[in-house]
Amino acid sequence: MREIATHFTKRDNGVYLFHDTVATLNKNEVVQNVINGLDNGLVVTGFGSVDGIVIQNCKVAILNSYGAAVGNLFVSNCPILVKGFSGSRTGKIYSATEPTTILQYTGNAGELGTTLEGFNFPKNPITTTASSNNIINLFTIPTRLAGRLSIQNNDGANMMSYLVDLSYNGTDLTTTDEIKVLGGAINIASLSVANGQLALTCNTSSSITLNLVLDFQGEFYQA
């Protein structure tokens, strides 16, 4: 594994994927690189495999310009996971830290949006209020959403394994609980959309600290 950009400035791009001074390639492969400390870690302009890349300490992990980045990517300390232009598609991203923005559309209004196929990241620790319905914002709801979301909390007896099939059409959220295992102080869990956020309502019999891990697989579409 090689680390890229140890000599770059913060304004630079890391890997400008599928592009050089001669031409833009339609298909390529970039694997097993470490991209560190840039504005845009990976810039995608075509189609290719990006498995095994680690992107860390970048303002934007992936800038996807009309391309398709297929594969699993690993990210740490990148506030924005993906910026995507019209029609771009990005594979699943595993982040070691909670992002500020999962997917940001940077194309023109009225054009096709950008799609992310999945993500996984831990939420920052959350302390609940005892015997109360705690409203926990999980992430900003995108323009459209369809897929499967897993929410887990592994803290001894205070456990949660909540697997939900869900869809959002821009107005209404539809959910089907597939698995709901709650234990210890956690006794209620449900999802809703409020103030532009997908929110978890969680009732706990005592005040506890939740260390939630989110995993989404499906179509996360932003326009």
Side-chain angles (χ1 to χ4, degrees):
M1 216 176 244
R2 297 160 289 173
E3 180 163 331
I4 294 175
T6 54
H7 62 287
F8 289 175
T9 69
K10 192 69 175 177
R11 296 184 302 275
D12 286 316
N13 297 320
V15 174
Y16 205 110
L17 189 59
F18 325 127
H19 175 86
D20 59 20
T21 57
V22 178
T24 298
L25 305 178
N26 290 325
K27 302 177 181 69
N28 211 327
E29 183 178 50
V30 176
V31 297
Q32 295 185 340
N33 288 287
V34 177
I35 303 170
N36 182 50
L38 300 165
D39 276 351
N40 300 307
L42 181 67
V43 181
V44 180
T45 61
F47 176 89
S49 172
V50 291
D51 270 325
I53 293 179
V54 176
I55 304 172
Q56 58 191 24
N57 305 314
C58 295
K59 293 179 181 178
V60 179
I62 301 166
L63 178 61
N64 195 336
S65 302
Y66 311 102
V70 179
N72 296 320
L73 299 106
F74 301 91
V75 169
S76 179
N77 196 30
C78 296
I80 300 175
L81 295 186
V82 181
K83 279 187 178 181
F85 286 81
S86 176
S88 62
R89 175 174 288 268
T90 306
K92 190 167 185 177
I93 298 181
Y94 294 82
S95 179
T97 53
E98 180 179 359
T100 303
T101 302
I102 296 172
L103 180 63
Q104 180 177 317
Y105 176 60
T106 58
N108 297 322
E111 294 184 357
L112 183 66
T114 181
T115 301
L116 177 64
E117 295 178 350
F119 55 80
N120 178 292
F121 63 83
K123 292 285 294 179
N124 293 326
I126 302 159
T127 301
T128 68
T129 301
S131 301
S132 177
N133 286 333
N134 297 271
I135 308 299
I136 300 166
N137 290 332
L138 300 180
F139 52 79
T140 300
I141 197 77
T143 307
R144 297 290 188 273
L145 173 74
R148 176 166 285 192
L149 177 66
S150 168
I151 308 168
Q152 290 192 325
N153 186 74
N154 186 10
D155 181 24
N158 297 322
M159 62 179 176
M160 176 192 302
S161 183
Y162 188 16
L163 184 65
V164 188
D165 287 330
L166 72 169
S167 64
Y168 178 70
N169 63 8
T171 304
D172 300 316
L173 178 71
T174 302
T175 64
T176 301
D177 293 351
E178 297 295 341
I179 296 174
K180 186 186 287 188
V181 179
L182 308 176
I186 304 173
N187 49 56
I188 291 177
S190 62
L191 293 175
S192 62
V193 173
N195 300 316
Q197 297 283 322
L198 182 67
L200 171 70
T201 298
C202 183
N203 189 290
T204 59
S205 58
S206 60
S207 178
I208 62 172
T209 299
L210 295 174
N211 293 285
L212 302 176
V213 177
L214 309 182
D215 187 282
F216 175 79
Q217 188 74 38
E219 295 283 301
F220 194 90
Y221 174 83
Q222 186 66 51

